[in-house]
Amino acid sequence: MRLTRALGVTAASVVLAASVVVGGASTAQAAPTVYKNCTAVQKVYSGGIAKKSVTKNRVTSKGKVTYRALKGTVKKDDALYNANKKMDADADGIACEKS
């Protein structure tokens, strides 16, 4: 009887430890890449990095705002955009876009 209880506790500990390791591995995600400049971004994504909700490029010229289709290969990813937000000069939700 004593051996059965000891094995039961040991087995329960092993199962608990295994579930903690598996749970931790499944929720871990890689941090988004922070690029040095727009040249580095455009080598990977020729059209830049955009928020998922962005569908058009906002262009302001001589005080007039117009919207154009996105050009090149645009990566739509909120986390990646936020990591590289400093390169969105016109604050339209697209970093390093082609106009």
Side-chain angles (χ1 to χ4, degrees):
M1 186 78 165
R2 183 176 271 176
L3 181 60
T4 305
R5 285 186 185 170
L7 287 176
V9 171
T10 304
S13 299
V14 171
V15 170
L16 180 61
S19 66
V20 170
V21 171
V22 171
S26 66
T27 59
Q29 294 179 358
T33 304
V34 178
Y35 292 93
K36 183 177 180 180
N37 53 38
C38 283
T39 303
V41 170
Q42 290 178 344
K43 285 181 181 179
V44 181
Y45 307 111
S46 63
I49 303 167
K51 293 180 183 178
K52 287 182 181 180
S53 61
V54 173
T55 58
K56 295 190 178 197
N57 182 14
R58 184 179 71 211
V59 179
T60 306
S61 178
K62 298 181 183 177
K64 185 177 178 183
V65 176
T66 57
Y67 292 90
R68 298 181 185 166
L70 299 174
K71 293 183 180 179
T73 303
V74 179
K75 175 68 173 177
K76 290 189 174 188
D77 185 329
D78 290 339
L80 187 59
Y81 171 80
N82 288 330
N84 295 283
K85 190 175 183 176
K86 66 180 185 257
M87 291 184 270
D88 185 5
D90 57 358
D92 64 351
I94 313 166
C96 303
E97 71 267 19
K98 289 183 178 182
S99 55

